[in-house]
Amino acid sequence: MADGGPVERGYPHLETVRAAITALYKRLSYDTIHAFDTSVAPADVAFCDTDDLYLGAQRVARELVRHYRLPDARLVVGFRRMEHAANIELTAGPEYFVELNDRFRTHRRDIGAALAHEIAHVYLHRVDLSFPGTRDNEILTDTATTYLGAGWLLLDAFREDGVSSQKLGYLTPEEFGYVLAKRSLVFGEDPSAWFTSPQAYEAYARGLERARADERRPPLTAAGWAGRRRYARDRRHAQDHRPGPAPDAPYTFTPDSPGPLRVTFPCPTCHARVRVPVRGRIRARCGLCRTVLECDT
C-alpha cells in the first residue's frame, strides 16, 4: 500500500500480468472465465461513514464472497496496525480471518478494494493456482481480482493530490487499467462510469490504449503500416535464411517440415501462443480463449 509516498507508474510488471491472464484461462477454463461476465456493482460494496465499521465490513465481505462464487467461505474481518493494506490467513476453510490496516477505520470507502484482493487469494487458493515467489503471486492475485470483475475497486482506490497519494495493490495504476481494459474488450463492459477517482479514470484510459495496441500487432490484419512492413521484412529473412525469433518482435518463425513456414505469436486476448502457417490471409482461432483472429501471415 502506497500511502503518501511515490506511486510507481508505467508497465514494469507487464509480462507477469500477461502470464497471469494466460494462467487464469488455463486453470479456470473459458466457461468459468465467462461466468464472471458481470463486475461487482458499486452499490453492493458501498460503505458510508455512518455504517457500523464491523457490520459494514462483514456485509461487503459477503458480497465479494458471493461474487467469487465461494458460498461455503466465511470471512471474519478485523483491524490492526500493520505495514500492508491487509492480510489473510489461508487455511482449509470454510472460515478465514482477514485483517485490514487500521487506516480503513477512517477510509471506509476503500474497504471493498482491500477485501476484493484478499478474497481473491481465497479463490486462487481454492482452485490451486499460484505463481512462485511473493511478488509474482501478488501480481497474479491483482490480475485475477481485476479480470474476474472486482479489481476496478483497487484501481478506484488510487488517488493523488498536491500533498498526498494512495494506491492499493502490487500493480501500477496503468497495469490495473490494462487488465481492466482487457476484461472490458472481452465482455463489452465499460467500467469508467464507476470511478470516483479522476486518476483512476486516466490510468484506465492509458491501459485501454495499451490493450488495444495488442490487437494491432502483426501478423494480425489490424496491424498498422509500420508493423506490417517490419513483419514482411522479418518474414523474407526467415524464408531466405534460418527461421527463428525476430529481434524485439512478438512473433517467431519456425520451419514445419514437410510443409510451409509457420509463425507463432501471442493471442491478443489471453496471450497464449498461436501457431499458424505462413500463407497470406487466414482466420485462426485461439485454442485457449476461443478468440477468432484475422491474420495476414
Side-chain angles (χ1 to χ4, degrees):
M1 177 175 64
D3 180 14
V7 174
E8 187 176 25
R9 307 302 295 266
Y11 302 92
H13 316 111
L14 189 57
E15 290 310 309
T16 306
V17 167
R18 288 170 171 167
I21 294 174
T22 305
L24 283 172
Y25 273 95
K26 286 183 176 179
R27 186 67 186 89
L28 302 183
S29 80
Y30 170 90
D31 291 332
T32 301
I33 291 285
H34 279 254
F36 289 89
D37 58 345
T38 303
S39 290
V40 173
D44 291 340
V45 291
F47 205 123
C48 300
D49 289 340
T50 56
D51 290 345
D52 180 271
L53 178 63
Y54 290 94
L55 293 178
Q58 293 294 156
R59 172 184 57 79
V60 173
R62 286 194 298 272
E63 286 295 335
L64 289 166
V65 165
R66 180 195 58 78
H67 175 76
Y68 285 112
R69 293 161 175 77
L70 298 169
D72 60 336
R74 298 190 301 273
L75 270 77
V76 179
V77 183
F79 298 82
R80 72 174 176 89
R81 295 183 64 181
M82 66 175 84
E83 178 184 358
H84 300 290
N87 180 63
I88 190 166
E89 181 182 349
L90 292 177
T91 63
E95 196 167 70
Y96 299 89
F97 293 89
V98 182
E99 294 178 313
L100 300 182
N101 192 298
D102 258 346
R103 72 174 271 112
F104 291 115
R105 292 179 181 271
T106 54
H107 293 73
R108 298 184 180 186
R109 65 173 174 172
D110 297 322
I111 284 178
L115 289 174
H117 176 94
E118 299 308 315
I119 299 172
H121 272 299
V122 176
Y123 182 84
L124 295 175
H125 178 69
R126 291 279 189 95
V127 300
D128 193 25
L129 176 58
S130 64
F131 277 1
T134 299
R135 170 189 168 276
D136 286 0
N137 200 55
E138 292 292 349
I139 291 171
L140 167 66
T141 305
D142 276 344
T143 303
T145 305
T146 306
Y147 207 83
L148 298 182
W152 69 266
L153 290 161
L154 284 161
L155 179 54
D156 195 41
F158 169 53
R159 288 183 288 276
E160 285 183 320
D161 57 35
V163 296
S164 64
S165 63
Q166 173 186 279
K167 185 187 78 70
L168 302 182
Y170 281 69
L171 300 185
T172 68
E174 289 78 13
E175 288 168 341
F176 272 121
Y178 173 81
V179 181
L180 192 55
K182 301 291 275 191
R183 170 187 168 79
S184 299
L185 292 172
V186 170
F187 296 118
E189 188 180 63
D190 181 8
S192 59
W194 304 332
F195 294 131
T196 62
S197 163
Q199 292 81 18
Y201 183 90
E202 293 167 4
Y204 172 68
R206 288 192 287 269
L208 180 59
E209 183 179 349
R210 188 66 176 255
R212 284 176 170 159
D214 289 346
E215 300 179 336
R216 299 192 297 265
R217 298 194 295 182
L220 301 174
T221 55
W225 176 84
R228 296 297 311 156
R229 184 175 181 180
R230 163 73 187 276
Y231 177 83
R233 185 191 67 193
D234 292 336
R235 181 180 57 199
R236 286 195 302 270
H237 184 272
Q239 290 170 333
D240 297 339
H241 302 87
R242 184 175 181 178
D248 302 320
Y251 45 80
T252 301
F253 294 99
T254 55
D256 189 18
S257 181
L261 189 71
R262 288 182 175 267
V263 62
T264 303
F265 61 95
C267 169
T269 298
C270 69
H271 299 285
R273 304 298 290 184
V274 179
R275 188 168 181 257
V276 295
V278 175
R279 64 181 184 201
R281 292 183 69 96
I282 61 172
R283 177 176 289 179
R285 185 186 180 101
C286 176
L288 187 59
C289 69
R290 306 183 188 178
T291 301
V292 175
L293 306 170
E294 299 289 343
C295 307
D296 188 353
T297 61

